[in-house]
């Protein structure tokens, strides 16, 4: 006989965990044998102290990709698009920097994050043509890795390209397609893809947790840009997220009896898989819009999401006919999700989430094989050996560091699990341990670092040796710093941004960028911030001229 969920006990435990982690609220749903139980704990807004309810709407971040993938697969089901046809079949003008990738990348590469296209789409704006512009803007985008070579998560671009294909085929904007193809047929009344469509009286306020002593603070960024729509901007409730999960547990059928996709499409979405270089943090494989987890031998489908200061978790357990959802207005915190879900799953007699692996102290590794710099646009990691131990240094965007009240460089020890996998614990009580993969050895050294599902290729820094100081007289302070925040994520490969400071009156700024030439920095800087400042450029010995460390 199936065990019943003790909602009273679970609610009390969630309340304890919310207090422990400083998270204002969480809404949780459990789908079991076709029936949904949902509840909410905490407050949706600290300022009003209004309680979160089962009707509270949260941003579900990258869980939006599962919604988009399901809608896209309806087109596959209808024979209007094929997973292994080139994107150019549907978008004839599609191109990126690599002509071979331009001609060969397919929807399957986009769905399972193996396309390798650099996330360099500029500022496509907030208008209805946002996904059309994103596709136009990547004509010069390079490859982070060769097409199909490895898995590397695309936060926005891959699913934006899918959205543009949907728009061309259906002749509507992506937001309308989602409503017509999914939200309405599923009978959803609280789910939308635009923040403007959310009832603000029901919307949860997002919070940052910079320290437990300070407590939650309202996020200065209330939502993701519209460019993230197909990959991050769906708003929903815990119950309605499970209504979508029901489709995966019931061979494409909605709870109201509407057929969303065929059973064959559900099999395609769950069984078409690629390996994830780091199998421990989320799961060993990625399917079409879903992560594939292995929980003690049972297959579980999943997706996580983070939308600035809100977070989402979805887990689908087909062998137990269970799905669990959780939406919160802070985070994400991996250990919080694990504790909450394990309480629920254990209560139901279902399989629970495995722990991260322990390091192997007997492993004797040649640490020089891992040392080096690894980066993607806006993110840089340095791996170095020190006294026989491997360390990873993560350089934060200066503005992100200020927002999170963290130093600009964070240092972690990497503890070997295997020859290619490492446990990365943290001294920060607000950070949970992670796992890292450093792999794909060529000429004796690793070529990629995979962390948080993102892939970061090794950098050849031979050409990026000149320190260039950009001294700006600012005409539009907000425009200047907003443009630099965006520019940080679009640095040319191998370049580094080592300083960004402003005068106290906001009229002057000094930035130092390491690149191959003054002209290279000038071209990049003027493209990004030229409209908001007049800038002079100088070659500089950074250590002496602006007091920077030499390394």
């Amino acid at each position: 006989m199936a065990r019943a969920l003790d909602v009273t006990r679970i609610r009390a435990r969630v309340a304890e965990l919310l207090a422990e982690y400083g998270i204002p609220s969480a809404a949780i749903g459990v789908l079991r044998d076709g029936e949904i139980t949902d509840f909410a704990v905490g407050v949706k807004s600290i300022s009003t102290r209004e309680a979160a309810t089962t009707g509270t709407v949260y941003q579900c971040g990258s869980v939006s990709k599962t919604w988009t993938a399901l809608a896209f697969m309806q087109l596959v089901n209808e024979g209007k698009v094929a997973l292994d046809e080139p994107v150019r079949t549907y978008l004839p003008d599609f191109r990126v920097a690599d002509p071979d990738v331009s001609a060969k990348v397919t929807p399957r590469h986009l769905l399972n994050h193996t396309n390798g296209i650099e996330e360099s789409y500029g500022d496509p704006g907030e208008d209805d043509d946002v996904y059309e512009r994103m596709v136009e803007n990547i004509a010069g985008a390079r490859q982070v890795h060769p097409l199909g070579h490895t898995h590397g998560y695309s936060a926005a671009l891959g699913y934006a390209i899918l959205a543009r294909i949907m728009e061309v085929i259906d002749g509507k904007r992506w937001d309308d397609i989602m409503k017509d193809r999914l939200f309405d047929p599923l009978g959803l009344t609280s789910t939308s893809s635009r923040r403007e469509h959310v009832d603000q009286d029901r919307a949860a306020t997002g919070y940052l947790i910079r320290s437990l002593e300070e407590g939650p603070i309202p996020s200065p960024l209330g939502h993701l840009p519209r460019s993230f729509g197909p990959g991050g901007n769906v708003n929903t409730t815990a119950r309605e997220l499970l209504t979508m999960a029901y489709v995966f547990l019931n061979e494409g059928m909605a709870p109201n009896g509407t057929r969303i996709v065929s059973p064959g499409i559900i099999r395609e979405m769950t069984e078409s898989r690629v390996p994830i270089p780091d199998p421990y943090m989320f799961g060993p494989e990625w399917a079409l819009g879903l992560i594939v987890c292995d929980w003690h031998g049972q297959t579980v489908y999943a997706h996580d999401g983070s939308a600035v200061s809100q977070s989402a978790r979805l887990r689908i357990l087909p062998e137990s006919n269970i799905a669990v959802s959780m939406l919160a207005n802070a985070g994400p915190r991996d250990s919080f999700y694990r504790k909450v879900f394990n309480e629920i799953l254990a209560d139901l007699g279902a399989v629970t989430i495995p722990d991260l692996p322990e390091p192997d102290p007997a492993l004797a590794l040649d640490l020089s094989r891992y040392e080096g710099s690894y980066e993607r646009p806006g993110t840089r990691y340095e791996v170095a050996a020190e006294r026989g131990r491997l360390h990873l240094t993560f350089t934060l965007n200066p503005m992100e560091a200020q927002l999170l009240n963290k130093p600009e460089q964070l240092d972690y020890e990497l503890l070997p699990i295997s020859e290619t996998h490492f446990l990365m614990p943290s001294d920060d009580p607000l950070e949970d341990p992670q796992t890292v993969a450093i792999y794909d050895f060529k000429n004796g050294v690793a070529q990629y670092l995979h962390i948080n599902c993102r892939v970061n290729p090794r950098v050849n820094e031979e050409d990026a040796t000149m320190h260039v100081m950009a001294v700006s007289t600012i005409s539009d302070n907000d425009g200047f710093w907003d443009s630099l925040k965006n520019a940080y994520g679009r640095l040319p490969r191998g370049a580094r941004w080592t300083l960004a400071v402003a005068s106290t009156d906001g009229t002057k700024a000094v930035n130092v960028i390491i690149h191959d030439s003054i002209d290279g920095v000038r071209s990049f800087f003027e493209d990004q911030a030229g409209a908001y400042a007049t800038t002079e450029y100088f070659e500089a010995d950074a250590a002496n001229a602006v007091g920077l460390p030499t390394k």
Side-chain angles (χ1 to χ4, degrees):
M1 185 175 178
R3 287 160 59 174
L5 182 68
D6 186 343
V7 175
T8 301
R9 187 189 72 79
I10 298 295
R11 282 181 61 94
R13 179 60 177 143
V14 171
E16 291 176 358
L17 291 169
L18 288 175
E20 178 183 337
Y21 283 84
I23 297 171
S25 75
I28 294 164
V30 180
L31 169 64
R32 187 181 193 188
D33 296 331
E35 298 295 324
I36 295 176
T37 301
D38 58 340
F39 59 92
V41 185
V43 295
K44 72 182 186 69
S45 168
I46 289 177
S47 62
T48 66
R49 305 305 300 173
E50 186 177 351
T53 71
T54 55
T56 299
V57 176
Y58 295 80
Q59 300 170 40
C60 70
S62 285
V63 181
S64 303
K65 292 179 174 68
T66 306
W67 293 95
T68 298
L70 186 58
F72 186 87
M73 292 301 288
Q74 285 187 332
L75 297 175
V76 176
N77 206 162
E78 295 162 9
K80 295 177 179 178
V81 65
L83 289 172
D84 298 311
E85 279 291 312
V87 167
R88 273 189 175 169
T89 303
Y90 316 103
L91 306 178
D93 295 329
F94 177 86
R95 68 184 176 95
V96 292
D98 186 321
D100 198 49
V101 174
S102 301
K104 294 181 179 179
V105 65
T106 68
R108 195 185 301 273
H109 290 124
L110 302 171
L111 284 161
N112 63 24
H113 302 279
T114 58
N115 62 86
I117 301 169
E118 200 170 65
E119 207 100 348
S120 299
Y121 51 81
D123 181 5
E126 293 286 319
D127 296 332
D128 282 347
D129 63 352
V130 57
Y131 311 118
E132 184 176 0
R133 286 183 176 274
M134 288 176 76
V135 172
E136 291 173 351
N137 289 354
I138 60 172
R142 296 171 296 183
Q143 291 301 112
V144 175
H145 60 78
L147 180 65
H149 181 71
T150 188
H151 170 275
Y153 185 75
S154 171
L157 179 61
Y159 276 65
I161 299 170
L162 292 168
R164 183 58 188 154
I165 294 172
M166 296 166 73
E167 290 183 335
V168 169
I169 290 174
D170 265 3
K172 304 175 185 178
R173 295 302 181 187
W174 174 78
D175 300 287
D176 296 326
I177 293 170
M178 295 300 291
K179 184 175 188 300
D180 294 344
R181 283 191 169 274
L182 273 192
F183 303 157
D184 286 351
L186 286 169
L188 308 182
T189 58
S190 301
T191 302
S192 64
S193 60
R194 294 287 303 276
R195 64 181 183 277
E196 294 90 344
H197 298 161
V198 177
D199 180 353
Q200 292 306 306
D201 290 336
R202 296 174 58 199
T205 301
Y207 293 90
L208 298 177
I209 313 294
R210 304 193 300 187
S211 74
L212 294 177
E213 293 73 25
E214 179 184 47
I217 62 169
S219 171
L221 304 171
H223 54 82
L224 293 171
R226 195 171 176 187
S227 56
F228 280 81
N233 278 350
V234 171
N235 307 272
T236 193
T237 65
R239 174 175 287 267
E240 294 199 352
L241 182 53
L242 288 180
T243 303
M244 185 262 285
Y246 182 102
V247 175
F248 290 96
L249 288 174
N250 291 274
E251 298 188 315
M253 195 73 76
N256 61 13
T258 301
R259 177 155 294 285
I260 301 301
V261 292
S262 69
I265 289 295
I266 296 298
R267 285 194 298 274
E268 184 74 45
M269 291 186 73
T270 55
E271 294 177 8
S272 173
R273 307 173 183 178
V274 295
I276 300 175
D278 171 17
Y280 302 114
M281 198 66 205
F282 296 96
E285 296 174 304
W286 208 287
L288 305 184
L290 292 164
I291 305 165
V292 185
C293 309
D294 180 350
W295 289 3
H296 308 289
Q298 285 196 25
T299 297
V300 176
Y301 301 106
H303 215 298
D304 291 356
S306 175
V308 184
S309 52
Q310 302 196 28
S311 59
R313 294 287 187 273
L314 175 65
R315 298 294 181 269
I316 302 170
L317 292 72
E319 294 182 43
S320 303
N321 201 22
I322 289 172
V324 186
S325 65
M326 180 169 69
L327 303 168
N329 56 345
R333 285 295 303 276
D334 189 63
S335 59
F336 173 73
Y337 131 75
R338 287 169 176 265
K339 290 174 183 177
V340 171
F341 275 32
N342 278 343
E343 291 278 352
I344 293 168
L345 294 167
D347 217 35
L348 296 175
V351 66
T352 55
I353 308 162
D355 293 332
L356 294 179
E358 294 291 330
D360 183 352
L363 278 173
L365 303 179
D366 178 356
L367 302 186
S368 66
R369 303 173 73 211
Y370 310 92
E371 288 187 291
S373 301
Y374 304 83
E375 72 174 30
R376 66 181 191 276
T379 304
R380 183 182 182 88
Y381 298 94
E382 306 277 352
V383 177
E386 183 180 330
R387 298 190 183 94
R389 295 179 178 270
L390 210 57
H391 286 260
L392 179 147
T393 301
F394 173 42
T395 302
L396 284 172
N397 176 322
M399 283 159 273
E400 182 183 3
Q402 184 176 8
L403 178 67
L404 298 176
N405 196 28
K406 290 180 178 287
E408 290 185 14
Q409 286 196 328
L410 303 175
D411 183 76
Y412 304 89
E413 186 174 355
L414 298 179
L415 306 177
I417 297 166
S418 70
E419 288 191 359
T420 52
H421 298 98
F422 299 84
L423 184 69
M424 189 178 85
S426 173
D427 295 332
D428 187 337
L430 295 182
E431 285 189 32
D432 297 312
Q434 296 185 66
T435 49
V436 179
I438 308 178
Y439 64 105
D440 198 13
F441 294 89
K442 187 180 296 183
N443 298 323
V445 294
Q447 299 302 301
Y448 298 101
L449 183 147
H450 197 276
I451 182 171
N452 195 29
C453 286
R454 275 76 169 174
V455 67
N456 303 269
R458 176 180 289 275
V459 178
N460 180 353
E461 297 188 298
E462 292 177 0
D463 296 328
T465 57
M466 180 179 289
H467 291 77
V468 178
M469 182 163 57
V471 181
S472 302
T473 301
I474 300 171
S475 56
D476 179 343
N477 190 275
D478 289 340
F480 180 80
W481 289 107
D482 284 346
S483 69
L484 289 198
K485 181 169 66 175
N486 291 327
Y488 187 88
R490 296 194 289 271
L491 274 174
R493 185 170 297 168
R496 282 182 290 157
W497 207 312
T498 61
L499 184 72
V501 295
S503 61
T504 54
D505 62 3
T507 61
K508 297 279 187 181
V510 175
N511 287 268
V512 175
I513 296 174
I514 302 174
H515 195 22
D516 56 4
S517 67
I518 288 179
D519 287 342
V521 172
R522 179 185 289 111
S523 175
F524 170 76
F525 206 85
E526 293 296 330
D527 283 348
Q528 310 300 326
Y532 310 108
T534 301
T535 302
E536 297 180 272
Y537 301 88
F538 308 92
E539 181 177 358
D541 174 354
N544 295 325
V546 293
L548 295 174
T550 57
K551 186 175 180 180

